[in-house]
Amino acid sequence: AQKVTQAQTEISVVEKEDVTLDCVYETRDTTYYLFWYKQPPSGELVFLIRRNSFDEQNEISGRYSWNFQKSTSSFNFTITASQVVDSAVYFCALRRVNQAGTALIFGKGTTLSVSS
Amino acid sequence: GAVVSQHPSRVICKSGTSVKIECRSLDFQATTMFWYRQFPKQSLMLMATSNEGSKATYEQGVEKDKFLINHASLTLSTLTVTSAHPEDSSFYICSARDVKGWDTQYFGPGTRLTVL
């Protein structure tokens, strides 16, 4: 079975704090893809990152960084020096590969609230 | 980046009527599109996978006669909610798979359906 778990339902931080959003996944596939999306109050999903299973190199993009560890099946997301505009729901997703196509399996999301 | 549009963004209808939602990939061709449903403060649940020129593949528990999907061209998929009921009220999001580049899914802005 394929599954994505985001154990943190809600996180509240004050501006400039660092925050890490956890994501743990389950899959039997040897090759898979992981994603992070941001969903602001407007509702539109914003693509943040795509990571292939064979590439465990961590990635940094501005204030965002991702830590992918296959040994623990985790793909955590850290926001450094958080800002109010970071307030949103963040979803971790796993790409499912089957005959029907390559849909995404989403975690339940983590709601991040950044206060000034 | 790739753009996916949805129309309408919001729709309110009476119980028993049918509603059509359009999903368009604006600057790329999408042989596969996906339809998701999101209840308030919940995750995205895949409803169906739509492949251009063929019948859609529905997820378990999704009524194909109620949620009609048509993918007539490489840039357009439509979801029709037939004989809508209040329990169909939800946020419907489509995504389109760009097979060129990094094979990433791009999401539309969503359609908020309210059935009275």
Side-chain angles (χ1 to χ4, degrees):
Chain A
Q2 295 178 304
K3 184 180 177 182
V4 176
T5 301
Q6 293 179 256
Q8 305 150 307
T9 305
E10 295 183 13
I11 300 177
S12 295
V13 299
V14 179
E15 256 190 325
K16 298 184 182 179
E17 284 186 30
D18 298 346
V19 59
T20 296
L21 309 181
D22 298 333
C23 173
V24 175
Y25 62 92
E26 296 176 29
T27 181
R28 293 179 182 174
D29 294 337
T30 54
T31 300
Y32 51 89
Y33 300 86
L34 296 163
F35 301 80
W36 275 96
Y37 286 88
K38 173 182 180 180
Q39 188 177 40
S42 63
E44 183 168 359
L45 282 170
V46 178
F47 168 77
L48 297 178
I49 190 171
R50 172 186 185 268
R51 172 62 71 209
N52 303 327
S53 57
F54 49 84
D55 180 5
E56 287 194 69
Q57 187 173 7
N58 292 326
E59 183 160 338
I60 298 175
S61 176
R63 295 185 296 108
Y64 296 168
S65 62
W66 290 269
N67 185 340
F68 178 32
Q69 293 195 350
K70 288 181 73 172
S71 60
T72 56
S73 296
S74 64
F75 186 41
N76 297 336
F77 172 33
T78 298
I79 301 175
T80 303
S82 59
Q83 300 175 1
V84 173
V85 293
D86 296 328
S87 297
V89 181
Y90 290 86
F91 290 99
C92 179
L94 171 69
R95 194 180 88 167
R96 183 187 81 183
V97 181
N98 62 15
Q99 292 180 342
T102 55
L104 297 181
I105 300 171
F106 286 85
K108 292 187 176 182
T110 297
T111 300
L112 174 64
S113 299
V114 183
S115 57
S116 57
Chain B
V3 178
V4 175
S5 71
Q6 274 185 247
H7 178 80
S9 58
R10 289 179 179 271
V11 57
I12 301 173
C13 69
K14 292 182 179 180
S15 187
T17 60
S18 295
V19 176
K20 179 185 283 188
I21 303 170
E22 292 185 348
C23 176
R24 294 182 184 272
S25 57
L26 299 184
D27 51 1
F28 65 98
Q29 292 185 331
T31 54
T32 304
M33 290 184 174
F34 305 90
W35 287 96
Y36 295 84
R37 183 175 182 177
Q38 185 180 29
F39 290 107
K41 297 191 176 183
Q42 294 192 24
S43 187
L44 284 78
M45 299 301 294
L46 178 69
M47 298 176 66
T49 301
S50 169
N51 289 299
E52 186 266 339
S54 63
K55 291 183 179 180
T57 302
Y58 290 82
E59 294 299 297
Q60 192 173 7
V62 177
E63 299 176 60
K64 60 181 179 181
D65 294 330
K66 180 168 186 61
F67 298 100
L68 301 178
I69 292 173
N70 183 276
H71 192 160
S73 77
L74 289 173
T75 59
L76 173 65
S77 176
T78 60
L79 167 67
T80 301
V81 182
T82 62
S83 187
H85 291 287
E87 56 265 30
D88 298 326
S89 298
S90 188
F91 193 52
Y92 293 87
I93 306 175
C94 74
S95 71
R97 178 187 171 199
D98 183 1
V99 295
K100 297 181 181 178
W102 289 102
D103 192 17
T104 296
Q105 287 185 35
Y106 295 94
F107 285 81
T111 296
R112 192 163 301 281
L113 170 63
T114 302
V115 184
L116 303 177

